[in-house]
Amino acid sequence: FVHGSFHSAWCWDNFSSFFAEKGIQSHAISLRGTSKSPLADGMKTPKLQDHVGDMLELVQQLSPDRPPTFVVHSIGGLVMMKYLEAGLKAKAIAFFCSVPPSGNSPMTKRYIQRLQIRESWNIVYGLAMKKVTSDPKLARALFFTPEDDDELVRTTMRHFNDDRDSIIDLVDASSNLPDKFTDKGTGRASWFNSETTEVFVFGAENDYIVDREGVEELGKFFNTSPEILKAFPHDIMLTRRWKEVAETLCSRLAPILSEVET
C-alpha cells in the first residue's frame, strides 16, 4: 500500500486489517519524511525519485524474487508511475483517486474554468498552504464526506500535521511528470506492458482533488476503463464506508492473488 501527500502507512490500517482477516499478507510503506521519519542530510523536500527509491528498497526486502501487487492513492500514483517508468516490475496495480500523468495543475485549471472557485481555492489553501492540518471544515471538504464523524476528521488531521513536512518537491515533480512518455496518438504510456502488469483505475464521485477528467486520463494512460466509486470522497480508505471499497478491491485482485498463492 502506497500513500499520498499528508498521509503515511497509518492511512491503510483499515485495509491492512481487512486483508489480514482474509489471510492475505500486506505491507504499507511510509515514504521518507512521513510519520516524522528522517530525510537525508541536506534534503528539505523529497523528490519523486526519492520515493521510488523507498519503494524499491521495500520490494527488495519483502519480495525480491517476484513482482508485488501495489495499491496506491493520490500522489502515490505518480510515484508508482515513475517506478514503472524506471523499468521496475509490478504484478498488478490498483490506483485510487490518483493524480494523473499530467499532474495537479491541469485539474486545478479545470476547476477554475468551470467557475468552481471554492474547490480551486480549497486545493491551493488546503494543500499547497497546508491548512488541512488546522482547518476541520477544509479537511472534511477535501478528504471526507458530510456524514463522516468529527472525531475521524480530527484524528486524521493530527496525522496530517505529522506528515506535513514530507510534501514532495513540486518544482521537481512538475518537470518530471509521467505524461512526457505518453504516446501522442493513443494517450497511453509508451513503456507500459499490459501483458505483464494488470492495472485497475478507481476514481471517487465526490473527490474534489482529482476530477473525473484526471481519472479518465489515467485510465487511457494504462489502456483500461476506470471505475467510479459512487458517493465516495478522496480518502476512500478512511471514510466511514471504506469496507465497501476494500471488498471491491479484494474482488478485483482475487484472481491475481490466487495465482501468487499457487
Side-chain angles (χ1 to χ4, degrees):
F1 293 109
V2 184
H3 63 83
S5 296
F6 293 98
H7 296 64
S8 56
W10 59 265
C11 74
W12 294 109
D13 286 351
N14 289 333
F15 277 42
S16 294
S17 297
F18 176 89
F19 279 92
E21 289 174 2
K22 294 184 176 296
I24 300 170
Q25 185 182 43
S26 66
H27 302 273
I29 186 173
S30 286
L31 300 170
R32 73 180 69 188
T34 62
S35 293
K36 300 182 179 180
S37 62
L39 294 169
D41 290 343
M43 182 185 292
K44 293 183 178 179
T45 54
K47 294 179 171 61
L48 282 174
Q49 204 57 41
D50 296 321
H51 286 337
V52 170
D54 297 336
M55 289 173 58
L56 178 58
E57 182 179 354
L58 183 66
V59 169
Q60 289 175 335
Q61 291 175 5
L62 299 176
S63 186
D65 300 322
R66 61 187 182 191
T69 293
F70 292 92
V71 179
V72 301
H73 181 250
S74 197
I75 209 164
L78 276 186
V79 180
M80 187 74 246
M81 286 180 257
K82 298 299 287 185
Y83 182 95
L84 295 174
E85 181 187 300
L88 301 170
K89 305 300 182 183
K91 177 68 175 176
I93 310 161
F95 289 88
F96 283 100
C97 304
S98 172
V99 174
S102 61
N104 281 316
S105 293
M107 293 189 291
T108 303
K109 290 177 182 177
R110 286 193 292 268
Y111 281 125
I112 294 173
Q113 290 167 352
R114 290 192 291 256
L115 299 180
Q116 292 177 277
I117 304 302
R118 182 178 62 181
E119 286 79 2
S120 304
W121 174 245
N122 283 350
I123 291 171
V124 173
Y125 189 65
L127 302 182
M129 299 175 67
K130 304 182 180 182
K131 296 300 182 181
V132 292
T133 63
S134 58
D135 187 331
K137 289 184 179 180
L138 193 55
R140 181 184 294 277
L142 286 172
F143 293 101
F144 294 101
T145 70
E147 293 74 32
D148 286 317
D149 64 63
D150 292 339
E151 182 56 31
L152 172 62
V153 176
R154 286 193 295 268
T155 299
T156 304
M157 286 175 61
R158 288 194 287 271
H159 285 297
F160 286 172
N161 199 55
D162 288 340
D163 296 327
R164 61 176 292 165
D165 295 328
S166 64
I167 307 303
I168 65 165
D169 185 328
L170 296 178
V171 175
D172 170 78
S174 64
S175 62
N176 290 286
L177 290 168
D179 70 343
K180 290 189 175 183
F181 295 93
T182 301
D183 183 291
K184 302 306 179 184
T186 64
R188 298 174 187 170
S190 58
W191 37 256
F192 177 62
N193 185 351
S194 60
E195 294 182 2
T196 58
T197 304
E198 188 161 1
V199 169
F200 305 91
V201 173
F202 296 91
E205 184 181 32
N206 295 335
D207 188 344
Y208 297 108
I209 296 176
V210 177
D211 64 4
R212 183 67 174 263
E213 291 91 336
V215 176
E216 291 172 350
E217 177 191 336
L218 183 61
K220 184 178 289 187
F221 195 66
F222 286 107
N223 193 28
T224 190
S225 298
E227 297 183 53
I228 302 299
L229 303 169
K230 299 298 183 182
F232 274 90
H234 186 70
D235 269 5
I236 49 85
M237 65 292 205
L238 294 173
T239 188
R240 64 191 180 91
R241 293 170 53 213
W242 66 265
K243 188 171 287 187
E244 295 175 37
V245 183
E247 289 169 347
T248 297
L249 174 62
C250 191
S251 69
R252 300 295 183 276
L253 294 181
I256 298 162
L257 296 176
S258 63
E259 286 179 18
V260 172
E261 289 174 1
T262 56

